[in-house]
Amino acid sequence: MSEENQYSFENETYRRTYWHTCSHVLAQAVKRLYPEVKLAIGPSIAEGFYYDMDSPFPFTPEVMEKIEAEMRKICKEKLKLERFELPREEAVKFMEEKGEPYKVELINDLPEDAVISFYKQGEFTDLCAGPHLDSTGRIKGNAIKLTACNAAYWRGDSNRQTLQRIYGIAFPKKEELDAYLQRIEEAKKRDHRKLGRELGLFMLTDEGPGFPFFLPKGMVLKNTLIDYWRQVHKKYGYVEISTPIILNRKLWERSGHWDHYKQNMYTTVIDEEDYAIKPMNCPGGMMVYASEPHSYRDLPMRVGELGLVHRHELSGALHGLFRVRCFTQDDAHIFMTPEQLKDEIKNVVKLFDEVYSVFGLPYKIELSTMPEDHIGTVEEWEHNQDILKEAITEMGKDFEVNEGDGAFYGPKLDFHLADSLGRTWQCGTVQLDSQLPERFELEYIGEDGQKHRPVMLHRVVLGSIERFIGVITEHFAGAFPTWLSPVQVKILTITDRADEYAKQVAAKLDAQGFRVELDLRNEKIGKKIREAQLEKDPFMLVLGDKEAAAGQVAVRHRADGDLGVMSLDDFTAKLRELVDSKSTK
């Protein structure tokens, strides 16, 4: 870290310290204005900070404005932050005298040998391990914004007190805050739940929380995406299978899921035997491989599956298509000899490069290493981690290490995609597994005529078809590229005299495989165009008497506006080029 960046937001440690100090300024402002409020905890988070508080009144927008104004005053006061320590008994007494029961509980729960530290700024003192800025004057008061207030359980326990959590964000410059707030507003407009409803793509119901319904236009989008998935996987040498959605307990015990993942699995009983609905496709893929003998000449064997999986997620964690209870995992299992492993990892990454570039989604790679809850030896894990590192390094790609976040059976490469707003989404993953082939006793006959154990990669490129649809809906703000758009051409008539010609044009486009909708309503053309714009269809053909007489079409594009009058053949050629090239336009 260069010296000039040491105290900039590019330095995560400084950024976190800045936001943590902001949480103390928030708490101090609340205590000044409302001394009766009790404080719980106030950390920095990935984006900003929050403070949990026990208040006898709600923190309304009007109250939040007053708190924000007081925070700005505290920043102007340039209060020095001073750290000090107290023995346990004195610390408890100190917080009891201040009437802070939540702080007393936190102190009592600290380990016997813990250092109990506090930070003082002016008249305000808080229990805290730190670190903090040296003065409240380091914080730019007009670049602070309190963004929301939600309910939160004390210590995350639904049986404990319900507190109020005030969220905030802050930056060193007001322009940075303004840009951030603008991005948030843009993200709200792009919310896939809102656009999914407005564009008729999918719906979510109280009768099935976390189980999305896809509507006709959503199914066109989903099937077009799946058609592309099949096309690119055929090109890269994959075969496709389908495995059952319910399999018996013995299989899940053998795979390790019953022991390591059961709390996320839906189970049932059939003929007095325990079964589980699959949360993953892996065990079925193992059984397909084991169903017949294999030679080294058959390998690598690349087996893809668009498998519907179910996982029990807590209701509070559900979020549109991003966090659901059932989804289509675009899985693949690649079985190979150890010598083929590095080349296969590279082949998968090349496939990822091709797919993500089609959507204009750059990515960063993260290597997730051995977790505490794992199967296999440390030596196996280190060997497999090294192979993953070497493969991507040889491709000239950078990666970051995410310690302890691998799957229970092996290390993995996670691909974090960046959308048009700069937000990141973890979609693709490549997981190196030498455990399941062992558990399922998979074999191949080597060149030496002996039986050997194959090595296996698990991988997904989109991750979940449903979640990926949510990601690209927000990435494109619902204006999908022409090749992917549920409706590619909307035909709008100016008068009913053009209806017959419009139907002929629609039939010709439909015969060539394009997705067309007709709007023959007796409405003003301006209204029809505005509504088509809101539906985000890429092209509009405006047809009236002149176009019908000349056998031409007046073309409009949702972003570029009026493209002029042209022959249907010329328009079709333009459309075909956009669709076949999978242009992002």
Side-chain angles (χ1 to χ4, degrees):
M1 177 65 62
S2 67
E3 197 170 321
E4 63 188 62
N5 287 338
Q6 189 177 351
Y7 299 108
S8 83
F9 265 34
E10 288 177 29
N11 178 354
E12 187 186 355
T13 303
Y14 179 76
R15 188 170 69 243
R16 291 277 192 164
T17 302
Y18 191 100
W19 283 339
H20 192 182
T21 307
C22 287
S23 77
H24 278 227
V25 172
L26 165 59
Q28 183 175 14
V30 170
K31 291 297 284 188
R32 276 187 181 181
L33 295 169
Y34 312 105
E36 68 274 28
V37 171
K38 308 299 180 192
L39 302 178
I41 56 167
S44 68
I45 51 176
E47 212 164 68
F49 57 93
Y50 71 77
Y51 215 114
D52 286 349
M53 305 184 189
D54 191 348
S55 170
F57 57 86
F59 291 119
T60 62
E62 295 75 21
V63 171
M64 300 260 277
E65 279 180 29
K66 288 180 185 174
I67 297 168
E68 229 176 72
E70 192 63 36
M71 289 177 74
R72 286 192 281 274
K73 283 186 196 171
I74 293 168
C75 294
K76 281 183 182 173
E77 290 170 19
K78 298 182 179 178
L79 302 173
K80 189 177 177 186
L81 277 91
E82 299 171 288
R83 182 182 185 277
F84 64 93
E85 297 172 9
L86 289 176
R88 182 180 299 267
E89 284 184 22
E90 286 182 41
V92 168
K93 186 181 177 189
F94 182 67
M95 279 301 171
E96 282 176 343
E97 287 172 354
K98 286 187 169 292
E100 298 289 0
Y102 298 100
K103 301 293 183 182
V104 171
E105 183 178 326
L106 289 171
I107 294 167
N108 284 328
D109 285 351
L110 288 171
E112 283 301 318
D113 57 349
V115 173
I116 302 171
S117 60
F118 296 83
Y119 279 82
K120 182 180 186 299
Q121 55 198 59
E123 82 291 349
F124 176 74
T125 303
D126 203 356
L127 171 73
C128 189
H132 285 285
L133 303 178
D134 61 354
S135 165
T136 62
R138 300 280 185 196
I139 298 168
K140 188 80 171 172
N142 67 352
I144 293 172
K145 181 69 181 171
L146 299 182
T147 54
C149 182
N150 298 331
Y153 295 121
W154 170 231
R155 309 191 99 168
D157 185 344
S158 59
N159 297 313
R160 303 293 301 274
Q161 295 92 331
T162 302
L163 308 173
Q164 293 182 74
R165 176 172 294 176
I166 298 179
Y167 286 95
I169 189 76
F171 292 92
K173 295 177 183 172
K174 187 175 185 302
E175 307 88 79
E176 292 172 326
L177 174 66
D178 292 341
Y180 171 82
L181 294 175
Q182 197 174 342
R183 281 200 310 274
I184 295 299
E185 282 307 306
E186 182 60 30
K188 285 178 186 173
K189 290 181 203 167
R190 292 167 178 254
D191 189 317
H192 74 285
R193 295 166 298 181
K194 172 178 172 284
L195 289 171
R197 187 170 57 250
E198 291 171 357
L199 301 178
L201 303 178
F202 64 89
M203 67 181 198
L204 300 159
T205 70
D206 292 339
E207 289 79 5
F211 300 99
F213 288 65
F214 273 82
L215 304 175
K217 285 186 178 178
M219 279 308 297
V220 172
L221 175 63
K222 189 176 181 182
N223 286 334
T224 305
L225 193 59
I226 287 172
D227 287 345
Y228 170 61
W229 185 93
R230 289 194 164 115
Q231 175 192 326
V232 80
H233 280 74
K234 183 178 179 184
K235 174 181 169 182
Y236 278 82
Y238 288 75
V239 294
E240 187 179 350
I241 61 168
S242 176
T243 63
I245 201 166
I246 300 179
L247 294 161
N248 72 12
R249 173 176 175 167
K250 289 173 188 167
L251 179 80
W252 299 111
E253 286 176 335
R254 189 175 187 185
S255 69
H257 288 92
W258 196 269
D259 294 330
H260 294 267
Y261 206 76
K262 185 173 180 293
Q263 72 277 12
N264 291 97
M265 294 166 70
Y266 295 110
T267 58
T268 187
V269 176
I270 302 173
D271 296 335
E272 300 180 0
E273 187 180 354
D274 289 336
Y275 279 73
I277 300 173
K278 67 176 177 180
M280 294 168 187
N281 299 309
C282 324
M286 304 303 105
M287 294 181 72
V288 168
Y289 181 90
S291 65
E292 58 181 354
H294 296 281
S295 154
Y296 71 94
R297 293 189 181 89
D298 303 329
L299 305 180
M301 183 173 163
R302 307 179 187 104
V303 183
E305 178 173 14
L306 293 160
L308 185 66
V309 300
H310 289 70
R311 298 180 184 178
H312 178 60
E313 299 283 357
L314 297 175
S315 57
L318 300 175
H319 179 74
L321 297 181
F322 291 159
R323 185 63 75 89
V324 290
R325 287 171 169 162
C326 89
F327 58 92
T328 310
Q329 195 170 44
D330 71 313
D331 228 335
H333 297 96
I334 305 171
F335 305 93
M336 72 212 82
T337 68
E339 296 75 27
Q340 294 168 329
L341 183 51
K342 201 183 287 186
D343 284 342
E344 279 306 301
I345 294 166
K346 292 177 182 178
N347 192 55
V348 169
V349 176
K350 284 175 189 168
L351 183 151
F352 284 13
D353 281 340
E354 180 166 334
V355 171
Y356 298 150
S357 65
V358 163
F359 299 95
L361 293 164
Y363 63 76
K364 287 185 177 177
I365 303 174
E366 204 171 66
L367 171 66
S368 297
T369 59
M370 186 177 75
E372 284 186 29
D373 179 20
H374 68 271
I375 52 180
T377 66
V378 173
E379 290 73 25
E380 282 174 319
W381 274 82
E382 288 178 350
H383 172 73
N384 289 346
Q385 285 163 192
D386 287 343
I387 289 175
L388 289 173
K389 285 178 192 175
E390 288 166 16
I392 51 174
T393 302
E394 287 172 17
M395 293 183 79
K397 295 185 182 291
D398 297 323
F399 65 92
E400 294 176 4
V401 177
N402 183 12
E403 293 289 354
D405 203 38
F408 70 84
Y409 45 75
K412 57 179 179 161
L413 299 174
D414 289 328
F415 290 70
H416 296 266
L417 312 186
D419 70 8
S420 54
L421 293 183
R423 299 170 302 177
T424 56
W425 310 91
Q426 198 266 298
C427 292
T429 186
V430 183
Q431 303 175 350
L432 203 170
D433 186 356
S434 47
Q435 303 303 322
L436 284 187
E438 189 69 39
R439 286 188 168 222
F440 282 86
E441 299 175 1
L442 304 185
E443 296 174 341
Y444 67 91
I445 303 299
E447 277 188 88
D448 58 3
Q450 301 300 308
K451 290 180 179 179
H452 297 271
R453 190 80 72 216
V455 184
M456 187 179 77
L457 291 176
H458 305 249
R459 47 111 293 200
V460 294
V461 54
L462 305 180
S464 146
I465 300 291
E466 290 76 7
R467 183 170 178 270
F468 193 76
I469 286 172
V471 170
I472 59 174
T473 299
E474 299 200 0
H475 175 58
F476 293 116
F480 298 105
T482 304
W483 72 273
L484 196 54
S485 186
V487 176
Q488 294 166 323
V489 184
K490 178 70 73 73
I491 300 177
L492 317 172
T493 52
I494 299 172
T495 71
D496 58 7
R497 293 187 298 277
D499 286 1
E500 200 51 46
Y501 178 57
K503 289 174 185 175
Q504 291 169 19
V505 169
K508 286 178 181 176
L509 289 170
D510 183 69
Q512 292 187 59
F514 298 116
R515 299 185 287 274
V516 189
E517 261 189 13
L518 279 163
D519 185 349
L520 307 179
R521 294 175 301 156
N522 184 21
E523 293 282 0
K524 289 182 179 177
I525 192 63
K527 181 179 180 182
K528 289 184 178 183
I529 290 171
R530 279 194 304 276
E531 289 182 0
Q533 285 282 155
L534 289 173
E535 289 169 6
K536 302 182 186 284
D537 302 327
F539 288 96
M540 290 155 262
L541 301 184
V542 181
L543 307 182
D545 294 337
K546 282 194 297 183
E547 289 77 21
Q552 293 183 311
V553 291
V555 184
R556 288 187 66 86
H557 185 264
R558 65 187 168 201
D560 301 335
D562 186 3
L563 301 183
V565 176
M566 60 185 78
S567 71
L568 182 58
D569 285 347
D570 284 349
F571 171 68
T572 303
K574 178 183 181 69
L575 193 59
R576 174 60 60 204
E577 199 278 325
L578 285 173
V579 171
D580 288 353
S581 68
K582 293 194 168 48
S583 162
T584 53
K585 192 169 180 180

